[in-house]
Amino acid sequence: KTQTTTTSTQTTTTETQSTTSTHTTTTVSVTETNVVTRTITTSKAPSSTLTSVDTSRVKLSSRSCQELGWASKEGSPTVCAESKLLGTCHRASSSLQQAQQLCAEAGARLCTADELLSDVAKGSGCSLNKKWIWTASTCEDGRAALAKGSVIEGEDEGVLKCVENNKSLESVRCCADVAPVTTTAPPAEAILSGKSCTQLGWQIKEESKVCGASKPIGECNRESSSFAQAEETCKLGGGRLCTQQELANNVASATGCGLDKQLVWSSEECSIGHWARYGKTTKDNDASVCLPSNTPLSVRCCADEFAVSNDDIQTTRSKNSCSSLGWEYVNGNTLVCGASRISGSCHKDTINFMEAKGICESAGGRLCTAEEIDSNVARNTGCSLDKGFIWTSSECENGFLVTHGKKSKTAPMCQSVSDDNANFSVRCCADKDILEQAS
């Protein structure tokens, strides 16, 4: 019987299996910052070696050890573990999917085989030290990996085995991380909703730039939609799926269909599919659940105060043409015209983005792009706006560009549309009639 640990400074993995008359040796390599190789002698060999687990790519728990009140052990400073989940033990009674869900509901995750063999969960309760525990590791043939709840020193036989994912009921221990996964609302890479809250008629809750709804296309979607179906439903309704944080902030709670106590899809991926949360977050269910993307769940959608789409921010063409508006082509521009005195009035240094957009569209025009302003499309059209900053329809990272009313050496500025102090001047553009262009 042997158990050895070796450390290398290179990131590699090794997997070997050899057989003697009475014992089989399985080597499991786990890639972290360094390589940790554990050689474990087993009297009952698994029929397949374990696939190496890169712990740097394991999805972190949604709540930290400190938040959960779980203590990390000496020798495992970044991970903690627990057996009694939300006050309940789970002994030889859970499928792999149930184990994943139990851990996720607690704000944790399944431990890797290596973590369990490091005794990170030893003595965490429920008398599971000698029981088979579900892990986040898999076998080479795709089956799930089980590990004993603890490796007793000198008795390291039979501590790993491979089983069919859906044909075994085993025990559950969960791990969590000192540094939890973090989310933002919405994440930087998120695509804003196709229509704004105002356009959709969805109510924005206090201190939020986001609104929610349960009937995005006029009907309830209760426990019947996969992730893809939920995403498409929200998109068809002009919205988008909510992020985890938005659901945690109850942006869509109490919006109907009796979904406050139902799991609804979020927009964010997890290790086996996508995260879901209850329609309303309370102190009793403040956790996300990682579920396969084909699980039938309910649907709630979110939308943004300022959406980004052709319908909401920038139309392809102005409603009225230059000729019908009586706006002249200036400074060599022949397809786009500009104006400063809109419906007989100047609008200088006092207008926010949505007001500027509305002023132009109400007149039958549209906001100019930054490139159009730079081409002097509206230069010398009045209201002394050549040197003032003008709203444009050109997007930037945090909002929209504002630029001088004529070509300038000063670069455009990115201005957030949610800034209450963001008030600038208005110049509008319009397009040449399509029939005029054809002629």
Side-chain angles (χ1 to χ4, degrees):
K1 300 177 183 179
T2 63
Q3 180 168 338
T4 62
T5 300
T6 61
T7 302
S8 167
T9 58
Q10 296 180 344
T11 304
T12 59
T13 60
T14 59
E15 297 169 350
T16 61
Q17 181 169 309
S18 60
T19 306
T20 65
S21 57
T22 57
H23 294 80
T24 298
T25 301
T26 302
T27 302
V28 183
S29 300
V30 179
T31 305
E32 298 175 325
T33 305
N34 298 319
V35 176
V36 180
T37 303
R38 300 182 188 283
T39 303
I40 301 165
T41 305
T42 62
S43 57
K44 183 178 180 181
S47 58
S48 171
T49 58
L50 293 182
T51 299
S52 299
V53 177
D54 184 350
T55 57
S56 67
R57 299 179 65 182
V58 171
K59 189 78 173 181
L60 295 179
S61 56
S62 62
R63 302 179 72 184
S64 68
C65 295
Q66 184 177 6
E67 288 175 314
L68 292 168
W70 299 358
S72 56
K73 292 191 173 184
E74 187 177 350
S76 301
T78 62
V79 181
C80 55
E82 181 57 61
S83 299
K84 187 169 288 190
L85 308 171
L86 303 178
T88 304
C89 295
H90 301 273
R91 289 170 58 93
S93 59
S94 301
S95 66
L96 174 59
Q97 183 175 332
Q98 289 170 331
Q100 290 167 331
Q101 183 168 340
L102 286 167
C103 290
E105 285 178 344
R109 59 173 174 81
L110 284 179
C111 307
T112 65
D114 188 71
E115 286 169 337
L116 288 175
L117 297 182
S118 298
D119 276 345
V120 70
K122 180 180 180 180
S124 59
C126 298
S127 301
L128 299 181
N129 283 355
K130 295 183 179 181
K131 298 294 182 182
W132 289 113
I133 309 295
W134 287 113
T135 79
S137 305
T138 57
C139 300
E140 281 186 334
D141 58 8
R143 290 185 297 165
L146 297 174
K148 282 295 182 68
S150 172
V151 180
I152 301 173
E153 186 175 355
E155 296 183 11
D156 53 350
E157 297 181 350
V159 294
L160 294 169
K161 73 175 179 179
C162 305
V163 297
E164 296 294 337
N165 298 2
N166 58 353
K167 294 184 179 179
S168 182
L169 296 179
E170 307 295 346
S171 301
V172 183
R173 277 180 164 171
C174 302
C175 283
D177 303 279
V178 171
V181 62
T182 57
T183 59
T184 57
E189 66 274 19
I191 298 174
L192 297 182
S193 55
K195 292 186 178 181
S196 68
C197 296
T198 301
Q199 284 182 308
L200 293 168
W202 299 357
Q203 183 178 358
I204 298 177
K205 296 200 172 179
E206 244 181 89
E207 298 183 4
S208 173
K209 302 296 183 183
V210 179
C211 53
S214 298
K215 292 183 179 181
I217 55 176
E219 58 185 27
C220 297
N221 295 270
R222 188 180 174 92
E223 297 181 318
S224 60
S225 298
S226 67
F227 171 82
Q229 291 169 329
E231 188 175 47
E232 183 65 18
T233 295
C234 290
K235 184 177 179 181
L236 287 173
R240 58 173 174 79
L241 284 175
C242 307
T243 66
Q244 290 184 80
Q245 190 61 57
E246 287 164 346
L247 291 172
N249 291 342
N250 285 326
V251 164
S253 67
T255 56
C257 296
L259 301 184
D260 281 359
K261 295 183 179 180
Q262 299 294 318
L263 284 172
V264 300
W265 287 113
S266 84
S267 61
E268 297 171 60
E269 294 182 3
C270 63
S271 58
I272 61 170
H274 287 81
W275 290 106
R277 288 187 67 93
Y278 285 98
K280 181 178 181 179
T281 297
T282 67
K283 64 180 181 180
D284 296 324
N285 61 13
D286 186 11
S288 296
V289 183
C290 181
L291 295 173
S293 299
N294 60 356
T295 307
L297 298 183
S298 302
V299 181
R300 272 182 168 167
C301 305
C302 282
D304 302 281
E305 182 179 14
F306 301 103
V308 178
S309 77
N310 285 341
D311 291 333
D312 188 50
I313 294 302
Q314 178 187 349
T315 55
T316 304
R317 298 179 55 81
S318 57
K319 181 179 179 181
N320 296 334
S321 67
C322 294
S323 58
S324 65
L325 290 168
W327 296 356
E328 296 182 0
Y329 301 106
V330 298
N331 301 308
N333 291 282
T334 59
L335 297 178
V336 178
C337 56
S340 298
R341 193 176 294 274
I342 313 301
S343 301
S345 300
C346 295
H347 303 275
K348 188 172 183 178
D349 300 330
T350 59
I351 307 301
N352 65 36
F353 176 81
M354 292 304 288
E355 289 170 336
K357 176 178 175 289
I359 287 169
C360 291
E361 291 182 356
S362 295
R366 59 173 174 80
L367 281 177
C368 307
T369 66
E371 291 79 7
E372 288 168 340
I373 293 293
D374 192 58
S375 72
N376 288 327
V377 70
R379 181 181 180 181
N380 295 329
T381 56
C383 297
S384 301
L385 299 182
D386 282 357
K387 295 183 179 180
F389 276 103
I390 308 295
W391 280 112
T392 78
S393 61
S394 298
E395 298 175 44
C396 56
E397 183 177 359
N398 298 314
F400 295 85
L401 294 177
V402 294
T403 188
H404 280 294
K406 66 175 183 179
K407 187 177 181 65
S408 171
K409 293 181 180 180
T410 303
M413 300 187 306
C414 186
Q415 183 61 54
S416 171
V417 294
S418 60
D419 184 350
D420 294 335
N421 296 317
N423 295 312
F424 299 99
S425 302
V426 182
R427 275 181 164 170
C428 303
C429 282
D431 302 281
K432 189 173 184 177
D433 189 274
I434 294 176
L435 293 178
E436 291 180 52
Q437 290 187 41
S439 63

